[in-house]
Amino acid sequence: MIRFVREKIQVPLHLPEGITALVDVELRRDPLCGEQCRITPRRPSTRLKGHRTGSSEAGPPVESSPCPLCPAAVKDSTPRLDPAIFAEERLRRGEAVLFPNLYPYGRWSAVVALTHAHWVALDEYSARQYADGLGVAIEYAKALIEAGHGPWVSITQNHLPTAGATLLHPHLQVHVDERPNNFFARVSAAAARHRERENEDYFEALLAAERGGDRWIAESDRVAWLSPFAPRGFFEFWALLPSERSLFGLTAGELDALSQELCSSFAFYRRLGWDAFNLALCTHEAPESDLPVWLRVVLRGRFSSHARSDVSFHEKLLEEMSMSISPEEYTRLYRGFRDGNPR
């Protein structure tokens, strides 16, 4: 018998108007392989107007609708945090402000507006902006873990539409889930098998084998930077803290070191003539975890005002499909097309 497994989640959003709305998210599993897919709320269409590809010298691209992440709009455009867990409506640190995702990917899904500026070229980010953005994301995740949610945490970013972004304003996304994404489920199982077979931690052994070699970049505090032996994307870089299994164990100095090298990699991408990337920082916040704090960043295509990639951090780094139209709905649309009724 074939089992079609789906889990429907209703996410309560505390809207700025003072009302609470319920938003539907559906998690599905492939009947054969068990891989997870997310059916998310449909987002409004955002069109980008008329700038040349790529360069910040050409001026920032322009969106056709107001940006909800700009400082003047955040209060009236974004939901408030759950008052049962958080004392404040939104979390703030430096320029960064965190609030629930209006179009969530799961029960606990948040956005961090990273900068006051609506448009930031890759070589213009500061380490302080990323340290504050990551810091407030970690604060959010920690509160949820302590409240009994999780234990899988992902902090992610799509920079520009060619990396899957729906908004130009620099922002992170934070996800706290009961189950791992497809990539981390596979990696966690593989790391556990390696430990059982070899009687060693895979990531500590990996860094011992790579340290000082052709793919080794730098090491600061406990943060090691390297290129992976078998990349999953162009110019992929990793940051690993093999001795740290929890985001909540990161010191301020380690977060600063992580952010500094991250911004250096962005400037390198810009020097190469590119301007988009995906980022994912994932952990398993559980005592039995075989996974370290692990950040990955990968180069994506040049910005174009005429295109948005259908591949975001979900598909590129987490190996999950996330879509805002169900297969039943697009099947209905296609049936109508075949029958001569396009609607």
Side-chain angles (χ1 to χ4, degrees):
M1 183 176 86
I2 305 296
R3 297 184 65 222
F4 297 100
V5 178
R6 66 180 77 191
E7 177 186 356
K8 294 188 176 182
I9 301 172
Q10 284 200 317
V11 181
L13 290 180
H14 306 281
L15 300 178
E17 297 90 342
I19 61 175
T20 299
L22 294 176
V23 178
D24 293 323
V25 177
E26 188 172 305
L27 306 181
R28 299 187 178 191
R29 292 195 169 274
D30 179 82
L32 178 61
C33 299
E35 292 185 337
Q36 184 167 267
C37 169
R38 297 174 188 255
I39 312 296
T40 64
R42 184 165 296 181
R43 286 154 171 72
S45 174
T46 300
R47 298 183 65 84
L48 302 173
K49 295 179 181 177
H51 284 273
R52 294 179 297 167
T53 296
S55 166
S56 60
E57 287 78 16
V62 179
E63 287 164 323
S64 60
S65 56
C67 172
L69 306 190
C70 283
V74 165
K75 183 177 179 181
D76 295 327
S77 301
T78 62
R80 296 171 294 183
L81 293 167
D82 187 339
I85 299 176
F86 298 93
E88 300 182 18
E89 294 182 350
R90 297 169 186 88
L91 300 180
R92 299 177 184 272
R93 187 175 299 191
E95 294 183 47
V97 55
L98 178 146
F99 43 83
N101 194 335
L102 191 58
Y103 303 97
Y105 292 99
R107 175 63 184 88
W108 301 106
S109 184
V111 171
V112 179
L114 267 176
T115 63
H116 289 163
H118 178 69
W119 165 261
V120 180
L122 274 191
D123 52 359
E124 294 171 356
Y125 279 115
S126 74
R128 181 76 270 141
Q129 288 169 331
Y130 266 88
D132 288 340
L134 292 172
V136 80
I138 293 169
E139 180 183 349
Y140 170 80
K142 184 177 182 181
L144 290 174
I145 296 294
E146 290 177 347
H149 303 289
W152 297 90
V153 177
S154 301
I155 302 171
T156 57
Q157 185 177 5
N158 302 320
H159 182 79
L160 294 184
T162 42
T166 55
L167 291 172
L168 290 171
H169 197 119
H171 62 285
L172 304 175
Q173 299 195 44
V174 193
H175 322 271
V176 178
D177 294 309
E178 293 180 5
R179 293 195 297 268
N181 57 64
N182 291 333
F183 176 77
F184 252 46
R186 185 163 56 80
V187 168
S188 181
R193 289 194 301 269
H194 181 90
R195 181 183 292 277
E196 182 176 348
R197 184 178 64 248
E198 304 291 340
N199 195 32
E200 66 180 6
D201 179 88
Y202 172 77
F203 290 95
E204 290 179 354
L206 174 69
L207 291 190
E210 291 280 19
R211 189 171 278 110
D214 292 342
R215 291 175 295 278
W216 190 256
I217 298 171
E219 194 164 13
S220 177
D221 290 289
R222 292 185 296 166
V223 184
W225 280 87
L226 69 158
S227 301
F229 174 71
R232 291 173 174 82
F234 291 107
F235 292 92
E236 181 176 359
F237 298 125
W238 290 3
L240 283 167
L241 284 87
S243 61
E244 183 55 68
R245 293 299 194 253
S246 172
L247 283 171
F248 316 140
L250 290 178
T251 67
E254 289 164 350
L255 199 56
D256 287 344
L258 188 69
S259 301
Q260 187 68 51
E261 197 66 45
L262 191 59
C263 289
S264 177
S265 68
F266 297 159
F268 173 68
Y269 288 166
R270 188 72 186 86
R271 176 66 64 86
L272 294 175
W274 300 84
D275 48 21
F277 66 86
N278 292 124
L279 174 155
L281 171 59
C282 301
T283 58
H284 181 200
E285 298 295 334
E288 69 275 13
S289 175
D290 269 305
L291 301 176
V293 173
W294 183 10
L295 181 145
R296 293 175 294 146
V297 60
V298 62
L299 182 67
R300 297 297 304 276
R302 290 188 179 93
F303 172 75
S304 167
S305 61
H306 305 292
R308 172 181 175 258
S309 175
D310 62 348
V311 175
S312 70
F313 66 81
H314 262 119
E315 295 80 14
K316 190 71 176 176
L317 294 175
L318 307 188
E319 297 182 1
E320 283 192 358
M321 184 64 200
S322 176
M323 57 199 309
S324 57
I325 182 170
S326 71
E328 292 80 12
E329 185 175 355
Y330 65 71
T331 299
R332 178 184 60 79
L333 292 173
Y334 182 56
R335 285 173 177 166
F337 172 82
R338 291 181 76 250
D339 295 339
N341 180 16
R343 294 190 179 276

